[in-house]
Amino acid sequence: QLQLVESGGGLVRPGGSLRLSCAASRFTLDNYAIAWFRQAPGKEREAVSCISKRNRSTDYRDSVKGRFTISRDNAKNTVYLQMNRLEPEDTAVYYCAADRGCSRSAIDYEYWGQGTQVTISS
């Protein structure tokens, strides 16, 4: 069973930055597409970004393009989501998910982390 662990969430002011990490043990993350989703209170879970297996492609939702960057560090078996110029609308619980390919639909992902809270507030 692939287990994912997110970290790096927190409280930052608008315009600030955070880097989220998604790590796994016993499985090589480079063999999976890894996505970041987020869910705000009262809203549906939405796709934020995805990186395909072996870094062949990346995908971002329009509202984060130019502000967020997804990347892998295979030596650390970790996928990162660098989030810059954060806005209050980015406030949510952020989850990483893994499966064979990138998709913007949460139901397509078999493996999920427990989530990490990101709060943007002055």
Side-chain angles (χ1 to χ4, degrees):
Q1 178 84 8
L2 174 59
Q3 293 183 321
L4 303 173
V5 179
E6 303 98 333
S7 61
L11 170 64
V12 297
R13 295 181 183 276
S17 297
L18 283 172
R19 188 178 76 163
L20 305 183
S21 299
C22 175
S25 58
R26 297 170 48 229
F27 290 86
T28 301
L29 285 186
D30 200 34
N31 292 332
Y32 296 85
I34 305 297
W36 287 95
F37 284 78
R38 66 187 181 187
Q39 188 166 20
K43 295 188 176 181
E44 291 188 358
R45 193 167 296 192
E46 62 183 20
V48 176
S49 183
C50 186
I51 187 166
S52 65
K53 288 188 288 188
R54 300 176 186 86
N55 295 350
R56 288 198 180 99
S57 65
T58 57
D59 181 58
Y60 298 92
R61 69 180 301 107
D62 286 347
S63 63
V64 307
K65 284 181 181 177
R67 299 189 298 123
F68 291 11
T69 303
I70 192 169
S71 63
R72 294 181 186 269
D73 184 336
N74 290 334
K76 295 183 178 180
N77 205 30
T78 300
V79 171
Y80 299 104
L81 185 68
Q82 178 67 43
M83 306 187 296
N84 298 327
R85 305 200 313 272
L86 284 160
E87 304 169 354
E89 293 74 21
D90 296 317
T91 295
V93 177
Y94 283 69
Y95 300 88
C96 65
D99 213 282
R100 291 173 294 178
C102 282
S103 168
R104 291 192 177 189
S105 177
I107 63 172
D108 291 335
Y109 290 84
E110 182 174 0
Y111 304 105
W112 290 85
Q114 82 289 349
T116 184
Q117 177 69 47
V118 172
T119 303
I120 313 304
S121 175
S122 55

